Amino acid sequence: MKWNNLKPDIAAIDLNSRISKHISAIDKINLISSTQNCPLIIIPQHIKKKIILHLSTKKVELGGLLIGSVISTNDLTQGIVAIEIKEAVASNNFESSAVSLTMSSDIWQDANKISTDTTFVVGWYHSHPDLGAFFSGTDRKTQKDFFHSAYSLGLVIDPIRHEEKWFLGANSNEVKSNKIRSNFKYGLAVV
Ligand SMILES: [Zn+2]
């Protein structure tokens, strides 16, 4: 499968374009100041449920792709305020090793079908059944090799222990749980 099969013309959604419609100017100031070190991760409850359902189907490592938008005051590398997940695409087969990441070959087709210039692959998710939610050395390498953009997310879920952890960027920086929104607190996800 080709991991470089991304559309070349992807772009961030300008935060200012969301101001009048969805968030007030005061919310904007709060949002920018609160996301200086790490952007907000916004995931609708129904997509979270869909991911957990998929990962709960088998007691083996499963995974897929996260599709979403990047809301930024600048571009896809700087000024990122929020990463808004809009869809999750499950892979029929999933194998992650120190040298490769294997997902079913049609997963990029599925991802591309729902992608636009502002909605695209923003990361990946996978399960650690009864191992706990953490990023292994292999996971960090996968993140660095394939999901190394400033907005690239890595979500790991242990569906048995009910644990989850999020990581961001090429260096797999852990995203603190207070940066995860699944209830549209800022209204950014309402389109
Ligand atoms: Zn892992």
Side-chain angles (χ1 to χ4, degrees), residues 43 47-66 88-94 103 107 124-133 154-166:
I43 178 161
I47 293 178
K48 186 73 162 296
K49 278 184 192 162
K50 182 180 172 179
I51 291 171
I52 291 170
L53 269 177
H54 168 223
L55 297 181
S56 303
T57 52
K58 283 182 198 162
K59 281 190 182 170
V60 296
E61 199 178 54
L62 297 169
L65 294 172
L66 300 169
V89 184
S91 177
N92 293 325
N93 73 313
F94 181 90
M103 295 199 202
I107 195 170
W124 63 305
Y125 69 89
H126 75 290
S127 63
H128 280 185
D130 212 17
L131 293 169
L155 166 62
V156 58
I157 288 180
D158 182 335
I160 293 167
R161 298 187 195 175
H162 305 289
E163 293 175 16
E164 72 170 67
K165 284 234 166 73
W166 293 78

Side-chain angles (χ1 to χ4, degrees), residues 111-136:
N112 279 334
K113 252 183 252 169
I114 50 176
S115 295
T116 67
D117 57 341
T118 54
T119 301
F120 43 84
V121 174
V122 292
W124 63 305
Y125 69 89
H126 75 290
S127 63
H128 280 185
D130 212 17
L131 293 169
F134 65 96
F135 247 25
S136 67

Side-chain angles (χ1 to χ4, degrees), residues 4-86:
N4 54 358
N5 194 18
L6 281 174
K7 296 184 179 190
D9 53 350
I10 56 171
I13 294 173
D14 181 12
L15 178 64
N16 288 312
S17 72
R18 292 296 187 91
I19 296 302
S20 57
K21 268 196 285 184
H22 303 303
I23 54 176
S24 71
I26 290 170
D27 278 347
K28 179 191 171 189
I29 292 163
N30 288 337
L31 192 56
I32 291 170
S33 61
S34 71
T35 55
Q36 260 172 0
N37 298 320
C38 179
L40 284 178
I41 313 302
I42 301 165
I43 178 161
Q45 285 286 1
H46 72 278
I47 293 178
K48 186 73 162 296
K49 278 184 192 162
K50 182 180 172 179
I51 291 171
I52 291 170
L53 269 177
H54 168 223
L55 297 181
S56 303
T57 52
K58 283 182 198 162
K59 281 190 182 170
V60 296
E61 199 178 54
L62 297 169
L65 294 172
L66 300 169
I67 317 291
S69 297
V70 178
I71 294 146
S72 176
T73 56
N74 194 0
D75 57 22
L76 287 175
T77 56
Q78 289 183 318
I80 298 172
V81 213
I83 302 158
E84 193 180 316
I85 292 158
K86 294 177 170 173

Side-chain angles (χ1 to χ4, degrees), residues 93-114:
N93 73 313
F94 181 90
E95 205 182 315
S96 174
S97 77
V99 287
S100 69
L101 175 67
T102 308
M103 295 199 202
S104 46
S105 58
D106 52 353
I107 195 170
W108 279 104
Q109 287 169 25
D110 291 346
N112 279 334
K113 252 183 252 169
I114 50 176

